Amino acid sequence: MRRYKKRAVVVTALGALGLAAFGAGAADAVGTVHGNTGTSKSTSTETGSRSPSRVAAESASWSHRTAQANKRIMQRFTSEFLPTGDPALARKFISPDIVMHFAGTTQQGRDTYLGVLAANMKAFPDLKWTVEDMRAEGDTVAVRYVMTGTHQGPFAGVEATGKAIRAESMAFYRLAGGKIVEERAQLDMLGILQQMGAVPAASAASAA
């Protein structure tokens, strides 16, 4: 029996944690750019003339617009980038300095992100991320995925088994300037290892 040898980091769609910065390409992604505060840059006199309730309402409206713009970016990220892992698309959606938190580890950089995704696609050539739910608030978008694929290459220290796998994943993406700058993802690694036969289900149950 092949045993689980090392921890593995599986990038999601993270799905699901953007698009080109607020310059060339950004307007194409979200229609109207909401990355700046526009008329919200008020002088102290203007601010003082507005009631606290109006200020709060304007702030809530800006947060809502930002959340909706970020959600549209993530919809394109999950539908256009994740299925292909195209580096050209990565430059549109992912910050060069993205920080990723996966399986208790922290990694940084768009090249690292692409490397992890490429390794996962090699292990599961038919890898697919299906978005089950997506919620946005302010600068953060949460995505719930179902991951499916066939284990046809080395993964987590386990050689190809030819077995089909299905696992759930959740990821929180933080965006700034139209790009993903941070991702926090949690994948059901135990379930994947059990389906590959690397961890017996009975042993996992008794350990729990």
Side-chain angles (χ1 to χ4, degrees):
M1 178 181 296
R2 301 180 178 90
R3 301 295 297 178
Y4 171 58
K5 297 180 180 179
K6 60 182 180 181
R7 305 181 71 176
V9 177
V10 177
V11 66
T12 64
L14 291 118
L17 164 174
L19 194 47
F22 291 110
D28 174 63
V30 299
T32 302
V33 175
H34 300 298
N36 55 61
T37 55
T39 56
S40 64
K41 293 183 178 179
S42 305
T43 63
S44 58
T45 301
E46 291 171 336
T47 301
S49 66
R50 293 181 298 171
S51 66
S53 60
R54 181 180 175 185
V55 172
E58 290 177 351
S59 177
S61 177
W62 177 87
S63 179
H64 176 74
R65 290 196 306 271
T66 299
Q68 292 309 302
N70 286 339
K71 186 174 182 179
R72 287 193 291 272
I73 289 169
M74 292 308 303
Q75 287 170 338
R76 290 194 61 181
F77 172 82
T78 55
S79 65
E80 298 176 20
F81 170 71
L82 281 184
T84 65
D86 185 352
L89 287 175
R91 290 192 289 273
K92 288 185 177 182
F93 294 106
I94 304 170
S95 166
D97 302 315
I98 183 175
V99 177
M100 302 90 71
H101 308 277
F102 305 132
T105 68
T106 297
Q107 301 187 53
Q108 185 170 4
R110 185 167 58 206
D111 289 342
T112 301
Y113 195 102
L114 286 169
V116 173
L117 182 58
N120 292 333
M121 294 181 76
K122 184 176 181 180
F124 304 95
D126 56 348
L127 181 65
K128 181 179 180 181
W129 297 97
T130 301
V131 175
E132 296 289 306
D133 195 10
M134 183 182 295
R135 304 296 176 93
E137 182 174 344
D139 65 355
T140 301
V141 179
V143 184
R144 181 167 61 86
Y145 298 97
V146 169
M147 169 191 169
T148 56
T150 307
H151 183 213
Q152 296 182 1
F155 180 78
V158 181
E159 295 300 321
T161 62
K163 294 183 177 179
I165 62 96
R166 182 184 187 279
E168 292 192 356
S169 173
M170 295 185 68
F172 290 82
Y173 302 90
R174 185 169 63 85
L175 292 87
K179 292 187 179 183
I180 304 170
V181 297
E182 185 176 25
E183 177 180 347
R184 293 181 179 274
Q186 186 64 51
L187 177 69
D188 181 13
M189 281 295 298
L190 178 58
I192 291 175
L193 292 170
Q194 289 175 346
Q195 291 172 68
M196 292 191 305
V199 176
S203 297
S206 61

